[in-house]
Amino acid sequence: MYFSTIAMAAILGLGVVSCKKPVESVTLDKTTLTLVETESATLVATVLPEKAANKSVTWSSSNPLVASVMPNGFVTAISKGTTLIMVVSTEDGNKTATCVVQVVERVPVTNVILNKNSLTLEAGKSETLIATVLPDNANDKTVTWKSSNPAVATVANGLVTAKANGEAIITVTTNDGNKTANCIVRIGFHPAEPEMVLVEGGTFTMGCTDGDCKSNELPTHQVTLSSFKMAKYLVTQKQWAAIMGSNPSSKQGDDLPVTNVSWDDAQEFIRRLNDTTGKQYRLPTEAEWEYAARGGKQSQGYKYSGSNNLDDVAWNGSNSGGNPNPVGRKLPNELGIYDMSGNVWEWCSDWYDVYTASPQTNPKGPATGTDHVNRGGAYHNTVVDGFCRVACRGVRGYLYQGGFRLVHP
């Protein structure tokens, strides 16, 4: 009985041994692999047959300065170049498999822009926002989308769906560099209504304070203003057409500021907009315009609206190409308001008059006059002529390069 048990065990043992086979081959799940500098990936080695007696392998890189490999097949890209990753069944059969790893230079994301910075929708409607990641050859162009108020508007892969009346900010963020761009979505608003910025009231010195003074910018004087809301952007041609049904502008485009608009034309637009919406939009007074252009209570004392460098904040004679440009593409000022220097001249509500040194509170200008005030300069003005300065005053009855923005109430 004892002998039989030993014999049977020996037979079974031989049977087990006989099932273990030598390694016949090693394969990798990839034969080529492209990685960006600092990127990683795991290669998977398969030793055949499945019942091979010893499946242990070793890994190596022909050029560890290009890409390294860990004992588990984890490959890390180091620098631009090409290397060969090899796996070897060293203890049984010396079988090998290789993967050619190409490491490419990392091109970081520098910016992301949206095709629209504002969007007006009816509840239940949808529209797709398009994000452009820069530069074109950036390695990682993946982005994520988020809505600040999903109850008002949701977003999925750029598709914005209006849910209920209100406002929501849609934000797109790049995976690489965490760059962002925003679009404000407004539900239940008329397409011609502007996005508004609160300008908190305060006291400021009105007139020339930058040393490049023109005679009609003096004397400086103290002005105190109540709070008001000002449009973040100039009235666009799309907004104008939504109310007026036509487009008087020479160069046309939905996001371009409306031009070739007289002061009376602007007043007619406002009248129709207010009749349609039941609100009280109006042109800014000259004092309101200058206070907002200077940055209100957040003013940093800049020569132009938002900067001492004109090109940073304004389409002007050195960068405009001789034409008005889409609103909101330059840097905003301290209040988040765009294009108050350059792009197009802006109408104010006031009749033109000379300054006095007397302090004033909420001034509205003279009751009558010959021409109205316009501010901000335009796309053809330069640093030399000084018309884009926040203190500069224009006075004309009609402007082919003139537009306007709204305030409320």
Side-chain angles (χ1 to χ4, degrees), residues 252-263:
Q252 299 198 350
D254 282 353
D255 292 332
L256 293 174
V258 66
T259 55
N260 295 355
V261 175
S262 70
W263 187 90

Side-chain angles (χ1 to χ4, degrees), residues 205-221 290 294 355 375 389-393:
T205 299
M206 187 171 180
C208 179
T209 56
D210 60 26
D212 292 334
C213 304
K214 301 179 187 296
S215 60
N216 69 345
E217 300 164 9
L218 296 170
T220 59
H221 52 287
E290 184 172 324
R294 289 180 178 277
Y355 284 163
R375 288 297 205 112
R389 296 160 40 250
V390 292
C392 185
R393 308 176 75 200

Side-chain angles (χ1 to χ4, degrees), residues 257-294:
V258 66
T259 55
N260 295 355
V261 175
S262 70
W263 187 90
D264 288 333
D265 293 335
Q267 293 296 337
E268 179 60 19
F269 172 90
I270 292 169
R271 184 189 67 77
R272 295 190 192 185
L273 177 61
N274 288 343
D275 286 348
T276 301
T277 63
K279 298 179 181 178
Q280 296 179 330
Y281 293 107
R282 58 180 175 84
L283 288 176
T285 65
E286 184 179 17
E288 288 172 337
W289 191 98
E290 184 172 324
Y291 180 61
R294 289 180 178 277

Side-chain angles (χ1 to χ4, degrees), residues 110 150 192 301 310 366 370 394:
T110 58
L310 184 60
T370 303

Side-chain angles (χ1 to χ4, degrees), residues 302-310 312-313 333-334:
Y302 294 127
K303 186 174 186 176
Y304 308 106
S305 185
S307 177
N308 287 323
N309 185 334
L310 184 60
D312 287 346
V313 294
N333 74 356
E334 298 95 316

Side-chain angles (χ1 to χ4, degrees), residues 19-34:
C19 289
K20 293 182 178 180
K21 300 181 179 296
V23 171
E24 297 175 359
S25 66
V26 176
T27 61
L28 287 172
D29 61 328
K30 295 182 179 68
T31 57
T32 60
L33 180 62
T34 300

Side-chain angles (χ1 to χ4, degrees), residues 23-302:
V23 171
E24 297 175 359
S25 66
V26 176
T27 61
L28 287 172
D29 61 328
K30 295 182 179 68
T31 57
T32 60
L33 180 62
T34 300
L35 296 174
V36 177
E37 289 174 335
T38 74
E39 192 178 16
S40 299
T42 298
L43 293 174
V44 178
T46 302
V47 179
L48 297 174
E50 291 184 3
K51 295 183 178 181
N54 192 330
K55 291 190 174 184
S56 60
V57 295
T58 58
W59 297 81
S60 64
S61 170
S62 65
N63 192 344
L65 296 178
V66 172
S68 62
V69 62
M70 301 291 287
N72 60 355
F74 185 75
V75 179
T76 300
I78 307 297
S79 62
K80 183 179 178 181
T82 303
T83 187
L84 196 67
I85 300 297
M86 178 180 293
V87 62
V88 182
S89 59
T90 52
E91 295 187 20
D92 185 355
N94 202 37
K95 304 298 182 182
T96 64
T98 58
C99 175
V100 178
V101 176
Q102 180 76 34
V103 178
V104 297
E105 185 177 5
R106 182 176 180 272
V107 180
V109 170
T110 58
N111 198 12
V112 60
I113 57 176
L114 287 171
N115 61 321
K116 293 184 178 180
N117 50 36
S118 64
L119 188 61
T120 301
L121 292 174
E122 297 177 14
K125 300 293 186 179
S126 298
E127 188 167 333
T128 299
L129 293 174
I130 300 172
T132 301
V133 178
L134 299 174
D136 289 339
N137 62 338
N139 301 117
D140 184 358
K141 291 191 172 186
T142 56
V143 297
T144 56
W145 297 84
K146 183 179 179 180
S147 170
S148 67
N149 192 348
V152 170
T154 60
V155 61
N157 297 320
L159 178 66
V160 179
T161 301
K163 296 296 186 180
N165 290 353
E167 293 186 352
I169 298 175
I170 301 300
T171 302
V172 62
T173 304
T174 63
N175 180 61
D176 179 15
N178 202 40
K179 306 296 183 182
T180 62
N182 297 317
C183 174
I184 184 165
V185 179
R186 310 173 77 236
I187 315 300
F189 290 79
H190 190 279
E193 288 189 79
E195 181 184 348
M196 306 299 284
V197 172
L198 175 64
V199 182
E200 187 179 354
T203 299
F204 77 108
T205 299
M206 187 171 180
C208 179
T209 56
D210 60 26
D212 292 334
C213 304
K214 301 179 187 296
S215 60
N216 69 345
E217 300 164 9
L218 296 170
T220 59
H221 52 287
Q222 295 297 108
V223 172
T224 301
L225 294 173
S226 302
S227 298
F228 58 96
K229 291 182 179 180
M230 174 171 274
K232 181 181 283 191
Y233 309 107
L234 292 154
V235 171
T236 66
Q237 295 175 26
K238 182 177 181 180
Q239 290 171 316
W240 178 273
I243 288 293
M244 306 297 284
S246 61
N247 187 352
S249 309
S250 299
K251 182 183 179 182
Q252 299 198 350
D254 282 353
D255 292 332
L256 293 174
V258 66
T259 55
N260 295 355
V261 175
S262 70
W263 187 90
D264 288 333
D265 293 335
Q267 293 296 337
E268 179 60 19
F269 172 90
I270 292 169
R271 184 189 67 77
R272 295 190 192 185
L273 177 61
N274 288 343
D275 286 348
T276 301
T277 63
K279 298 179 181 178
Q280 296 179 330
Y281 293 107
R282 58 180 175 84
L283 288 176
T285 65
E286 184 179 17
E288 288 172 337
W289 191 98
E290 184 172 324
Y291 180 61
R294 289 180 178 277
K297 281 193 169 182
Q298 300 178 45
S299 176
Q300 298 297 309
Y302 294 127

